[in-house]
Structure formats: structure tokens, C-alpha cells
PDB file of all heavy atoms in Angstrom:
ATOM      1  N   ALA A   1     -76.568 -85.824 -73.743  1.00  0.00           N
ATOM      2  CA  ALA A   1     -77.303 -86.519 -72.685  1.00  0.00           C
ATOM      3  C   ALA A   1     -76.556 -86.329 -71.376  1.00  0.00           C
ATOM      4  O   ALA A   1     -75.399 -85.904 -71.350  1.00  0.00           O
ATOM      5  CB  ALA A   1     -77.456 -88.002 -73.012  1.00  0.00           C
ATOM      6  N   GLY A   2     -77.236 -86.653 -70.283  1.00  0.00           N
ATOM      7  CA  GLY A   2     -76.592 -86.602 -68.985  1.00  0.00           C
ATOM      8  C   GLY A   2     -77.262 -85.630 -68.031  1.00  0.00           C
ATOM      9  O   GLY A   2     -77.971 -84.715 -68.447  1.00  0.00           O
ATOM     10  N   ALA A   3     -77.008 -85.851 -66.758  1.00  0.00           N
ATOM     11  CA  ALA A   3     -77.613 -85.038 -65.701  1.00  0.00           C
ATOM     12  C   ALA A   3     -76.792 -83.807 -65.360  1.00  0.00           C
ATOM     13  O   ALA A   3     -77.140 -83.072 -64.438  1.00  0.00           O
ATOM     14  CB  ALA A   3     -77.789 -85.893 -64.442  1.00  0.00           C
ATOM     15  N   SER A   4     -75.710 -83.551 -66.101  1.00  0.00           N
ATOM     16  CA  SER A   4     -74.791 -82.490 -65.697  1.00  0.00           C
ATOM     17  C   SER A   4     -75.424 -81.110 -65.730  1.00  0.00           C
ATOM     18  O   SER A   4     -75.083 -80.245 -64.913  1.00  0.00           O
ATOM     19  CB  SER A   4     -73.530 -82.521 -66.574  1.00  0.00           C
ATOM     20  OG  SER A   4     -73.870 -82.434 -67.943  1.00  0.00           O
ATOM     21  N   GLY A   5     -76.337 -80.840 -66.680  1.00  0.00           N
ATOM     22  CA  GLY A   5     -76.997 -79.536 -66.701  1.00  0.00           C
ATOM     23  C   GLY A   5     -77.773 -79.295 -65.424  1.00  0.00           C
ATOM     24  O   GLY A   5     -77.696 -78.212 -64.822  1.00  0.00           O
ATOM     25  N   ALA A   6     -78.532 -80.294 -64.981  1.00  0.00           N
ATOM     26  CA  ALA A   6     -79.289 -80.175 -63.734  1.00  0.00           C
ATOM     27  C   ALA A   6     -78.368 -80.102 -62.523  1.00  0.00           C
ATOM     28  O   ALA A   6     -78.643 -79.370 -61.558  1.00  0.00           O
ATOM     29  CB  ALA A   6     -80.247 -81.353 -63.599  1.00  0.00           C
ATOM     30  N   ILE A   7     -77.265 -80.840 -62.558  1.00  0.00           N
ATOM     31  CA  ILE A   7     -76.319 -80.819 -61.436  1.00  0.00           C
ATOM     32  C   ILE A   7     -75.678 -79.444 -61.315  1.00  0.00           C
ATOM     33  O   ILE A   7     -75.531 -78.900 -60.207  1.00  0.00           O
ATOM     34  CB  ILE A   7     -75.264 -81.917 -61.618  1.00  0.00           C
ATOM     35  CG1 ILE A   7     -75.924 -83.298 -61.490  1.00  0.00           C
ATOM     36  CG2 ILE A   7     -74.138 -81.766 -60.608  1.00  0.00           C
ATOM     37  CD1 ILE A   7     -75.027 -84.446 -61.885  1.00  0.00           C
ATOM     38  N   PHE A   8     -75.300 -78.866 -62.446  1.00  0.00           N
ATOM     39  CA  PHE A   8     -74.771 -77.505 -62.403  1.00  0.00           C
ATOM     40  C   PHE A   8     -75.845 -76.530 -61.941  1.00  0.00           C
ATOM     41  O   PHE A   8     -75.542 -75.500 -61.325  1.00  0.00           O
ATOM     42  CB  PHE A   8     -74.220 -77.103 -63.768  1.00  0.00           C
ATOM     43  CG  PHE A   8     -72.762 -77.402 -63.942  1.00  0.00           C
ATOM     44  CD1 PHE A   8     -72.333 -78.684 -64.232  1.00  0.00           C
ATOM     45  CD2 PHE A   8     -71.820 -76.408 -63.798  1.00  0.00           C
ATOM     46  CE1 PHE A   8     -70.987 -78.974 -64.381  1.00  0.00           C
ATOM     47  CE2 PHE A   8     -70.473 -76.674 -63.937  1.00  0.00           C
ATOM     48  CZ  PHE A   8     -70.041 -77.965 -64.232  1.00  0.00           C
ATOM     49  N   GLY A   9     -77.105 -76.832 -62.235  1.00  0.00           N
ATOM     50  CA  GLY A   9     -78.189 -76.013 -61.730  1.00  0.00           C
ATOM     51  C   GLY A   9     -78.236 -76.027 -60.214  1.00  0.00           C
ATOM     52  O   GLY A   9     -78.456 -74.988 -59.574  1.00  0.00           O
ATOM     53  N   LEU A  10     -78.045 -77.198 -59.619  1.00  0.00           N
ATOM     54  CA  LEU A  10     -78.016 -77.293 -58.152  1.00  0.00           C
ATOM     55  C   LEU A  10     -76.839 -76.510 -57.581  1.00  0.00           C
ATOM     56  O   LEU A  10     -76.962 -75.851 -56.535  1.00  0.00           O
ATOM     57  CB  LEU A  10     -77.915 -78.758 -57.730  1.00  0.00           C
ATOM     58  CG  LEU A  10     -79.069 -79.677 -58.140  1.00  0.00           C
ATOM     59  CD1 LEU A  10     -78.809 -81.096 -57.641  1.00  0.00           C
ATOM     60  CD2 LEU A  10     -80.406 -79.166 -57.613  1.00  0.00           C
ATOM     61  N   ILE A  11     -75.705 -76.567 -58.261  1.00  0.00           N
ATOM     62  CA  ILE A  11     -74.528 -75.826 -57.797  1.00  0.00           C
ATOM     63  C   ILE A  11     -74.779 -74.323 -57.877  1.00  0.00           C
ATOM     64  O   ILE A  11     -74.433 -73.565 -56.971  1.00  0.00           O
ATOM     65  CB  ILE A  11     -73.298 -76.231 -58.634  1.00  0.00           C
ATOM     66  CG1 ILE A  11     -72.941 -77.696 -58.350  1.00  0.00           C
ATOM     67  CG2 ILE A  11     -72.111 -75.324 -58.344  1.00  0.00           C
ATOM     68  CD1 ILE A  11     -71.876 -78.266 -59.272  1.00  0.00           C
ATOM     69  N   GLY A  12     -75.413 -73.887 -58.979  1.00  0.00           N
ATOM     70  CA  GLY A  12     -75.752 -72.469 -59.094  1.00  0.00           C
ATOM     71  C   GLY A  12     -76.737 -72.032 -58.030  1.00  0.00           C
ATOM     72  O   GLY A  12     -76.625 -70.927 -57.471  1.00  0.00           O
ATOM     73  N   ALA A  13     -77.712 -72.887 -57.724  1.00  0.00           N
ATOM     74  CA  ALA A  13     -78.686 -72.567 -56.687  1.00  0.00           C
ATOM     75  C   ALA A  13     -78.020 -72.467 -55.322  1.00  0.00           C
ATOM     76  O   ALA A  13     -78.355 -71.590 -54.504  1.00  0.00           O
ATOM     77  CB  ALA A  13     -79.787 -73.631 -56.666  1.00  0.00           C
ATOM     78  N   GLN A  14     -77.083 -73.359 -55.052  1.00  0.00           N
ATOM     79  CA  GLN A  14     -76.366 -73.314 -53.775  1.00  0.00           C
ATOM     80  C   GLN A  14     -75.565 -72.023 -53.649  1.00  0.00           C
ATOM     81  O   GLN A  14     -75.555 -71.376 -52.589  1.00  0.00           O
ATOM     82  CB  GLN A  14     -75.433 -74.525 -53.675  1.00  0.00           C
ATOM     83  CG  GLN A  14     -74.693 -74.622 -52.355  1.00  0.00           C
ATOM     84  CD  GLN A  14     -73.772 -75.834 -52.325  1.00  0.00           C
ATOM     85  OE1 GLN A  14     -73.710 -76.611 -53.265  1.00  0.00           O
ATOM     86  NE2 GLN A  14     -73.033 -75.972 -51.243  1.00  0.00           N
ATOM     87  N   LEU A  15     -74.905 -71.633 -54.738  1.00  0.00           N
ATOM     88  CA  LEU A  15     -74.137 -70.389 -54.720  1.00  0.00           C
ATOM     89  C   LEU A  15     -75.058 -69.196 -54.464  1.00  0.00           C
ATOM     90  O   LEU A  15     -74.732 -68.301 -53.666  1.00  0.00           O
ATOM     91  CB  LEU A  15     -73.413 -70.218 -56.057  1.00  0.00           C
ATOM     92  CG  LEU A  15     -72.537 -68.967 -56.194  1.00  0.00           C
ATOM     93  CD1 LEU A  15     -71.416 -68.973 -55.168  1.00  0.00           C
ATOM     94  CD2 LEU A  15     -71.966 -68.882 -57.613  1.00  0.00           C
ATOM     95  N   ALA A  16     -76.226 -69.169 -55.103  1.00  0.00           N
ATOM     96  CA  ALA A  16     -77.183 -68.080 -54.901  1.00  0.00           C
ATOM     97  C   ALA A  16     -77.673 -68.045 -53.459  1.00  0.00           C
ATOM     98  O   ALA A  16     -77.845 -66.957 -52.875  1.00  0.00           O
ATOM     99  CB  ALA A  16     -78.361 -68.245 -55.862  1.00  0.00           C
ATOM    100  N   PHE A  17     -77.906 -69.201 -52.880  1.00  0.00           N
ATOM    101  CA  PHE A  17     -78.380 -69.274 -51.496  1.00  0.00           C
ATOM    102  C   PHE A  17     -77.379 -68.614 -50.557  1.00  0.00           C
ATOM    103  O   PHE A  17     -77.758 -67.815 -49.681  1.00  0.00           O
ATOM    104  CB  PHE A  17     -78.595 -70.728 -51.108  1.00  0.00           C
ATOM    105  CG  PHE A  17     -79.175 -70.919 -49.743  1.00  0.00           C
ATOM    106  CD1 PHE A  17     -80.539 -71.073 -49.561  1.00  0.00           C
ATOM    107  CD2 PHE A  17     -78.358 -70.948 -48.618  1.00  0.00           C
ATOM    108  CE1 PHE A  17     -81.084 -71.242 -48.299  1.00  0.00           C
ATOM    109  CE2 PHE A  17     -78.885 -71.121 -47.343  1.00  0.00           C
ATOM    110  CZ  PHE A  17     -80.252 -71.274 -47.186  1.00  0.00           C
ATOM    111  N   PHE A  18     -76.104 -68.924 -50.736  1.00  0.00           N
ATOM    112  CA  PHE A  18     -75.088 -68.374 -49.840  1.00  0.00           C
ATOM    113  C   PHE A  18     -74.866 -66.884 -50.092  1.00  0.00           C
ATOM    114  O   PHE A  18     -74.541 -66.141 -49.167  1.00  0.00           O
ATOM    115  CB  PHE A  18     -73.778 -69.142 -49.997  1.00  0.00           C
ATOM    116  CG  PHE A  18     -73.833 -70.530 -49.451  1.00  0.00           C
ATOM    117  CD1 PHE A  18     -73.319 -71.596 -50.171  1.00  0.00           C
ATOM    118  CD2 PHE A  18     -74.411 -70.795 -48.222  1.00  0.00           C
ATOM    119  CE1 PHE A  18     -73.372 -72.888 -49.669  1.00  0.00           C
ATOM    120  CE2 PHE A  18     -74.467 -72.078 -47.709  1.00  0.00           C
ATOM    121  CZ  PHE A  18     -73.946 -73.129 -48.439  1.00  0.00           C
ATOM    122  N   MET A  19     -75.047 -66.445 -51.319  1.00  0.00           N
ATOM    123  CA  MET A  19     -74.820 -65.041 -51.639  1.00  0.00           C
ATOM    124  C   MET A  19     -75.992 -64.169 -51.211  1.00  0.00           C
ATOM    125  O   MET A  19     -75.814 -62.993 -50.893  1.00  0.00           O
ATOM    126  CB  MET A  19     -74.567 -64.876 -53.138  1.00  0.00           C
ATOM    127  CG  MET A  19     -73.254 -65.463 -53.605  1.00  0.00           C
ATOM    128  SD  MET A  19     -72.942 -65.165 -55.368  1.00  0.00           S
ATOM    129  CE  MET A  19     -72.778 -63.387 -55.377  1.00  0.00           C
ATOM    130  N   ARG A  20     -77.197 -64.738 -51.193  1.00  0.00           N
ATOM    131  CA  ARG A  20     -78.368 -63.929 -50.856  1.00  0.00           C
ATOM    132  C   ARG A  20     -78.413 -63.575 -49.374  1.00  0.00           C
ATOM    133  O   ARG A  20     -78.828 -62.479 -48.998  1.00  0.00           O
ATOM    134  CB  ARG A  20     -79.643 -64.676 -51.253  1.00  0.00           C
ATOM    135  CG  ARG A  20     -80.896 -63.870 -50.942  1.00  0.00           C
ATOM    136  CD  ARG A  20     -82.141 -64.495 -51.470  1.00  0.00           C
ATOM    137  NE  ARG A  20     -83.310 -63.711 -51.091  1.00  0.00           N
ATOM    138  CZ  ARG A  20     -84.557 -64.014 -51.434  1.00  0.00           C
ATOM    139  NH1 ARG A  20     -84.798 -65.080 -52.170  1.00  0.00           N
ATOM    140  NH2 ARG A  20     -85.555 -63.253 -51.038  1.00  0.00           N
ATOM    141  N   GLY A  21     -78.004 -64.489 -48.529  1.00  0.00           N
ATOM    142  CA  GLY A  21     -77.990 -64.209 -47.101  1.00  0.00           C
ATOM    143  C   GLY A  21     -79.338 -64.459 -46.444  1.00  0.00           C
ATOM    144  O   GLY A  21     -80.279 -64.951 -47.058  1.00  0.00           O
ATOM    145  N   GLY A  22     -79.445 -64.108 -45.142  1.00  0.00           N
ATOM    146  CA  GLY A  22     -80.677 -64.282 -44.401  1.00  0.00           C
ATOM    147  C   GLY A  22     -80.902 -65.690 -43.920  1.00  0.00           C
ATOM    148  O   GLY A  22     -82.024 -66.055 -43.574  1.00  0.00           O
ATOM    149  N   HIS A  23     -79.856 -66.499 -43.831  1.00  0.00           N
ATOM    150  CA  HIS A  23     -80.036 -67.905 -43.500  1.00  0.00           C
ATOM    151  C   HIS A  23     -79.378 -68.302 -42.186  1.00  0.00           C
ATOM    152  O   HIS A  23     -79.457 -69.447 -41.772  1.00  0.00           O
ATOM    153  CB  HIS A  23     -79.451 -68.773 -44.616  1.00  0.00           C
ATOM    154  CG  HIS A  23     -78.194 -68.205 -45.198  1.00  0.00           C
ATOM    155  ND1 HIS A  23     -77.071 -67.978 -44.450  1.00  0.00           N
ATOM    156  CD2 HIS A  23     -77.926 -67.808 -46.456  1.00  0.00           C
ATOM    157  CE1 HIS A  23     -76.125 -67.467 -45.235  1.00  0.00           C
ATOM    158  NE2 HIS A  23     -76.613 -67.340 -46.448  1.00  0.00           N
ATOM    159  N   ARG A  24     -78.681 -67.373 -41.536  1.00  0.00           N
ATOM    160  CA  ARG A  24     -78.072 -67.624 -40.220  1.00  0.00           C
ATOM    161  C   ARG A  24     -77.018 -68.720 -40.235  1.00  0.00           C
ATOM    162  O   ARG A  24     -76.805 -69.413 -39.234  1.00  0.00           O
ATOM    163  CB  ARG A  24     -79.152 -67.956 -39.187  1.00  0.00           C
ATOM    164  CG  ARG A  24     -80.132 -66.809 -38.938  1.00  0.00           C
ATOM    165  CD  ARG A  24     -81.117 -67.168 -37.838  1.00  0.00           C
ATOM    166  NE  ARG A  24     -82.037 -66.059 -37.586  1.00  0.00           N
ATOM    167  CZ  ARG A  24     -82.997 -66.091 -36.672  1.00  0.00           C
ATOM    168  NH1 ARG A  24     -83.160 -67.185 -35.927  1.00  0.00           N
ATOM    169  NH2 ARG A  24     -83.793 -65.065 -36.496  1.00  0.00           N
ATOM    170  N   ILE A  25     -76.364 -68.903 -41.343  1.00  0.00           N
ATOM    171  CA  ILE A  25     -75.262 -69.858 -41.424  1.00  0.00           C
ATOM    172  C   ILE A  25     -73.973 -69.097 -41.135  1.00  0.00           C
ATOM    173  O   ILE A  25     -73.786 -67.991 -41.654  1.00  0.00           O
ATOM    174  CB  ILE A  25     -75.203 -70.515 -42.820  1.00  0.00           C
ATOM    175  CG1 ILE A  25     -76.515 -71.265 -43.082  1.00  0.00           C
ATOM    176  CG2 ILE A  25     -74.017 -71.455 -42.938  1.00  0.00           C
ATOM    177  CD1 ILE A  25     -76.615 -71.847 -44.470  1.00  0.00           C
ATOM    178  N   PRO A  26     -73.079 -69.648 -40.312  1.00  0.00           N
ATOM    179  CA  PRO A  26     -71.843 -68.939 -39.954  1.00  0.00           C
ATOM    180  C   PRO A  26     -71.067 -68.467 -41.178  1.00  0.00           C
ATOM    181  O   PRO A  26     -70.999 -69.157 -42.195  1.00  0.00           O
ATOM    182  CB  PRO A  26     -71.059 -69.986 -39.163  1.00  0.00           C
ATOM    183  CG  PRO A  26     -72.102 -70.888 -38.598  1.00  0.00           C
ATOM    184  CD  PRO A  26     -73.189 -70.937 -39.630  1.00  0.00           C
ATOM    185  N   GLY A  27     -70.474 -67.283 -41.068  1.00  0.00           N
ATOM    186  CA  GLY A  27     -69.770 -66.686 -42.200  1.00  0.00           C
ATOM    187  C   GLY A  27     -68.622 -67.534 -42.710  1.00  0.00           C
ATOM    188  O   GLY A  27     -68.386 -67.620 -43.917  1.00  0.00           O
ATOM    189  N   GLU A  28     -67.897 -68.177 -41.783  1.00  0.00           N
ATOM    190  CA  GLU A  28     -66.759 -68.986 -42.229  1.00  0.00           C
ATOM    191  C   GLU A  28     -67.212 -70.191 -43.050  1.00  0.00           C
ATOM    192  O   GLU A  28     -66.528 -70.620 -43.975  1.00  0.00           O
ATOM    193  CB  GLU A  28     -65.913 -69.441 -41.033  1.00  0.00           C
ATOM    194  CG  GLU A  28     -66.644 -70.311 -39.996  1.00  0.00           C
ATOM    195  CD  GLU A  28     -67.349 -69.484 -38.939  1.00  0.00           C
ATOM    196  OE1 GLU A  28     -67.534 -68.269 -39.159  1.00  0.00           O
ATOM    197  OE2 GLU A  28     -67.706 -70.061 -37.891  1.00  0.00           O
ATOM    198  N   VAL A  29     -68.378 -70.734 -42.696  1.00  0.00           N
ATOM    199  CA  VAL A  29     -68.917 -71.855 -43.473  1.00  0.00           C
ATOM    200  C   VAL A  29     -69.300 -71.385 -44.876  1.00  0.00           C
ATOM    201  O   VAL A  29     -69.017 -72.053 -45.883  1.00  0.00           O
ATOM    202  CB  VAL A  29     -70.143 -72.460 -42.763  1.00  0.00           C
ATOM    203  CG1 VAL A  29     -70.779 -73.540 -43.635  1.00  0.00           C
ATOM    204  CG2 VAL A  29     -69.745 -73.034 -41.408  1.00  0.00           C
ATOM    205  N   ILE A  30     -69.936 -70.211 -44.943  1.00  0.00           N
ATOM    206  CA  ILE A  30     -70.348 -69.668 -46.241  1.00  0.00           C
ATOM    207  C   ILE A  30     -69.130 -69.405 -47.114  1.00  0.00           C
ATOM    208  O   ILE A  30     -69.110 -69.753 -48.299  1.00  0.00           O
ATOM    209  CB  ILE A  30     -71.153 -68.367 -46.044  1.00  0.00           C
ATOM    210  CG1 ILE A  30     -72.451 -68.670 -45.310  1.00  0.00           C
ATOM    211  CG2 ILE A  30     -71.434 -67.701 -47.383  1.00  0.00           C
ATOM    212  CD1 ILE A  30     -73.247 -67.432 -44.985  1.00  0.00           C
ATOM    213  N   ARG A  31     -68.117 -68.786 -46.543  1.00  0.00           N
ATOM    214  CA  ARG A  31     -66.928 -68.469 -47.337  1.00  0.00           C
ATOM    215  C   ARG A  31     -66.255 -69.730 -47.858  1.00  0.00           C
ATOM    216  O   ARG A  31     -65.799 -69.781 -49.001  1.00  0.00           O
ATOM    217  CB  ARG A  31     -65.950 -67.650 -46.489  1.00  0.00           C
ATOM    218  CG  ARG A  31     -66.396 -66.194 -46.292  1.00  0.00           C
ATOM    219  CD  ARG A  31     -65.297 -65.370 -45.657  1.00  0.00           C
ATOM    220  NE  ARG A  31     -65.081 -65.773 -44.255  1.00  0.00           N
ATOM    221  CZ  ARG A  31     -65.739 -65.259 -43.219  1.00  0.00           C
ATOM    222  NH1 ARG A  31     -66.664 -64.333 -43.424  1.00  0.00           N
ATOM    223  NH2 ARG A  31     -65.480 -65.659 -41.992  1.00  0.00           N
ATOM    224  N   ALA A  32     -66.192 -70.771 -47.024  1.00  0.00           N
ATOM    225  CA  ALA A  32     -65.567 -72.022 -47.463  1.00  0.00           C
ATOM    226  C   ALA A  32     -66.380 -72.673 -48.569  1.00  0.00           C
ATOM    227  O   ALA A  32     -65.829 -73.142 -49.580  1.00  0.00           O
ATOM    228  CB  ALA A  32     -65.419 -72.977 -46.268  1.00  0.00           C
ATOM    229  N   GLN A  33     -67.707 -72.707 -48.388  1.00  0.00           N
ATOM    230  CA  GLN A  33     -68.570 -73.298 -49.410  1.00  0.00           C
ATOM    231  C   GLN A  33     -68.497 -72.506 -50.710  1.00  0.00           C
ATOM    232  O   GLN A  33     -68.402 -73.074 -51.798  1.00  0.00           O
ATOM    233  CB  GLN A  33     -70.017 -73.344 -48.903  1.00  0.00           C
ATOM    234  CG  GLN A  33     -70.278 -74.391 -47.848  1.00  0.00           C
ATOM    235  CD  GLN A  33     -70.281 -75.796 -48.416  1.00  0.00           C
ATOM    236  OE1 GLN A  33     -70.563 -76.014 -49.588  1.00  0.00           O
ATOM    237  NE2 GLN A  33     -69.953 -76.760 -47.585  1.00  0.00           N
ATOM    238  N   ARG A  34     -68.535 -71.182 -50.601  1.00  0.00           N
ATOM    239  CA  ARG A  34     -68.514 -70.336 -51.793  1.00  0.00           C
ATOM    240  C   ARG A  34     -67.201 -70.522 -52.555  1.00  0.00           C
ATOM    241  O   ARG A  34     -67.185 -70.592 -53.785  1.00  0.00           O
ATOM    242  CB  ARG A  34     -68.701 -68.878 -51.387  1.00  0.00           C
ATOM    243  CG  ARG A  34     -68.911 -67.940 -52.563  1.00  0.00           C
ATOM    244  CD  ARG A  34     -69.481 -66.628 -52.071  1.00  0.00           C
ATOM    245  NE  ARG A  34     -68.677 -66.050 -50.993  1.00  0.00           N
ATOM    246  CZ  ARG A  34     -69.132 -65.164 -50.114  1.00  0.00           C
ATOM    247  NH1 ARG A  34     -70.389 -64.766 -50.165  1.00  0.00           N
ATOM    248  NH2 ARG A  34     -68.338 -64.680 -49.174  1.00  0.00           N
TER     249      ARG A  34
END
């Protein structure tokens, strides 16, 4: 039981967002988040 599977899903989605690009977020912010 628990929400951890979905929470890890959000973390994976965030990682994919930063790796895909095209979002105009500063590179230093992306590198720190990644």
C-alpha cells in the first residue's frame, strides 16, 4: 500500500520533462533539478 509508486511516477515525469527540453528553463536550473 502507499502513494510511493505514484510519487516516484511524478519524479520520473519531472526528470523526463527536463531531459526532453523545449521549455525555456535556464540550464543551471535544469542541471540542479536533474
Side-chain angles (χ1 to χ4, degrees):
S4 56
I7 293 170
F8 269 79
L10 298 180
I11 293 171
Q14 183 181 358
L15 181 62
F17 184 95
F18 290 135
M19 291 183 65
R20 181 173 177 179
H23 37 60
R24 297 184 179 180
I25 300 175
E28 61 273 16
V29 175
I30 295 176
R31 286 190 291 272
Q33 287 287 334
R34 189 163 53 202

